[in-house]
Amino acid sequence: MNGAAPAEGAARIGSRLPPPAKNLPLESVREKAGLARDAQKLWRRYTLTQRVERVRGFWRELQASKDRLVAVVQRETGKPATEIEVMELCGVELILKYFTRNAHRILKDQAASRPWIMMNKKAYVRYVPRGVVGLITPWNYPLLIPLGDAIAALIAGNAVLLKPSEWTTDTALFIEGVFKATGLFPEGLLSVAPGDGTVGSEVIRQSDMILFTGSTKTGRLVAQAAAERLIPCVLELGGKHPMIVLKDAPLDRAAKAAVWGRFANSGQTCVGVERVYVEAEIYEAFTERVAGEVAMLRQGLEPGYDVDLGRLIYPRQLETVLALIDDAKAKGARVIGGELVDPERLVISPALVLDAKQEMRVMREETFGPVLPIMSVRAPEEAVRLANDSELGLAASIFSRDLVRAETLAAHLEAGLIGVNDLMGHYAVCSLPFGGFKQSGVGRRHSDDGLRMFCQSQSVLAHEWPANAPEPWWFPYTELKAKLVAWLTRLS
Ligand code: NAD
């Protein structure tokens, strides 16, 4: 079978997958939010050291249940076990290590400079937890995304109300179960509200801050709802990663990077390679290597470690992927692979789209599936121009042996996450802010600011000496005072 789903196949798409979670009644969402609010009032009084120790304790318990956890993620997503361990569990561990090791430095009061005219005062910034943080998360990394963000929000002193994707709710419920069972936290400090966008909307109504990860389309709705309540809202949205391969690129590394960068997580990664621009001189050599690498990928759904590729997670995604492949074919691309192996379980074989053109939908819309389009370009400048010809700007990469030139060209790429001879590793380097330009998001997770964003900054100005003297700018106003303050201001 090749390309588009047959009519009866379309009806069967995803029919052998577990159904999406039912909506928690909105009244129960409100109850959970109330409990979270009460729990946070206790939690914020724990010292930072206590919070860090308890979060570490929770992580140890979760690790002790690793096999069961991996099995739950496997069942919900069909991912290879190696991928769950490496990309999700190890990813969370690196995030946890960064925030637990650095929390004291990041969240301690920060002394602020003050003008000379106020030398007799103390100025500093305190970081005060926001309260209840609502996390609304997608299905592609059901462990890494919610847990990594929950850890940061909790360490900063907040409660967490998590609305996971309705397609990957069991993973979130497993996390909640272990969290509760540790007995280390006030009751209800982290809780899960299963369901679809209706529940998501209620979570926005009940929270003091929203961190949303998902599509650009939904992100816009979430931003509107948050604006209505005037609560801060950080948006981590879709991507259309352009990978640029210059003619002096290390070809083997570039080909392997393209294949992992696209087919890891079966292509369902926001920072995954969505399109490749290759200089014409090496187009044949590069695509040959890529085709060789793709041919070696092992696809399977049995739980196990020695598999590279699983299935898709979300039924509609398969329809999108098939439609984009069909569009590319109709516009003259050569497609290798992309066979619908098992529509009922959303299995599609990896697809290469050769001779891709910028006007094809697969080069313009987020594919979010195992499809790698490769286009030939005449010069690096053309590649950069085409790379930037997108409303999205999450990740981009460039491959060349000339690091200086590559880094210079990369400075012209409109994306929040740049890889030079590298890609998709930013999430694990938690000291780097993670987020997108343009329609790929607003705000950043991770880094020092990504922990502070879960707090409100509180600016403190404390008068020190002389204890009882009034300020020269207070009442009563006189001309002499005006001159004195102006003179002191000039000196400052
Ligand atoms: P989605 O936008 O369909 O759903 C995301 C979440 O929002 C789900 O939990 C969903 O139930 C909820 N939701 C839906 N409507 C809502 C509403 N009106 N109000 C509140 N919540 C609502 O996205 P998806 O299909 O689950 O995930 C795939 C998308 O996520 C892709 O576009 C991908 O690029 C993006 N993503 C981005 C990042 C990043 O860090 N930038 C990471 C992973 C995935």
Side-chain angles (χ1 to χ4, degrees), residues 94-170:
L94 292 172
I95 293 166
L96 177 120
K97 283 189 166 153
Y98 181 77
F99 284 133
T100 53
R101 287 174 183 167
N102 290 286
H104 285 85
R105 174 182 60 75
I106 300 170
L107 295 180
K108 75 168 191 254
D109 294 352
Q110 306 282 324
S113 66
R114 65 263 191 240
W116 189 85
I117 191 173
M118 294 190 180
M119 281 309 273
N120 54 346
K121 300 175 194 299
K122 198 161 65 169
Y124 60 97
V125 180
R126 293 180 59 225
Y127 295 101
V128 180
R130 290 192 180 273
V132 177
V133 171
L135 299 178
I136 302 178
T137 56
W139 37 260
N140 61 336
Y141 287 95
L143 184 60
L144 174 68
I145 294 175
L147 190 51
D149 291 335
I151 283 169
L154 290 167
I155 288 174
N158 300 283
V160 169
L161 188 56
L162 166 61
K163 210 301 282 172
S165 167
E166 55 274 39
W167 294 94
T168 51
T169 301
D170 287 350

Side-chain angles (χ1 to χ4, degrees), residues 23 135-141 145 149 162-168 193 195-204 210-223 225 235-240 268-272 274 314 316-317 366 368 392 394 417 427 434-436 440-441 445:
N23 284 358
L135 299 178
I136 302 178
T137 56
W139 37 260
N140 61 336
Y141 287 95
I145 294 175
D149 291 335
L162 166 61
K163 210 301 282 172
S165 167
E166 55 274 39
W167 294 94
T168 51
D196 60 19
T198 314
V199 175
S201 299
E202 189 59 33
V203 166
I204 299 172
I210 293 293
L211 171 48
F212 170 84
T213 311
S215 63
T216 298
K217 189 171 159 224
T218 311
R220 199 165 274 124
L221 296 175
V222 168
L235 304 171
E236 298 284 0
L237 310 176
K240 192 67 194 165
Q268 305 160 110
T269 303
C270 54
V271 291
E274 286 263 329
Y314 176 46
R316 272 232 222 109
Q317 205 60 41
E366 191 181 38
F368 222 60
L392 300 175
L394 185 57
L417 307 162
Y427 214 92
F434 184 98
S440 286
R445 56 157 64 90

Side-chain angles (χ1 to χ4, degrees), residues 168-227:
T168 51
T169 301
D170 287 350
T171 306
L173 291 173
F174 190 95
I175 295 169
E176 184 193 39
V178 174
F179 187 86
K180 243 187 190 168
T182 60
L184 293 171
F185 305 95
E187 203 196 329
L189 187 69
L190 176 147
S191 62
V192 174
D196 60 19
T198 314
V199 175
S201 299
E202 189 59 33
V203 166
I204 299 172
R205 282 193 286 273
Q206 300 302 321
S207 303
D208 302 305
M209 171 189 178
I210 293 293
L211 171 48
F212 170 84
T213 311
S215 63
T216 298
K217 189 171 159 224
T218 311
R220 199 165 274 124
L221 296 175
V222 168
Q224 282 164 6

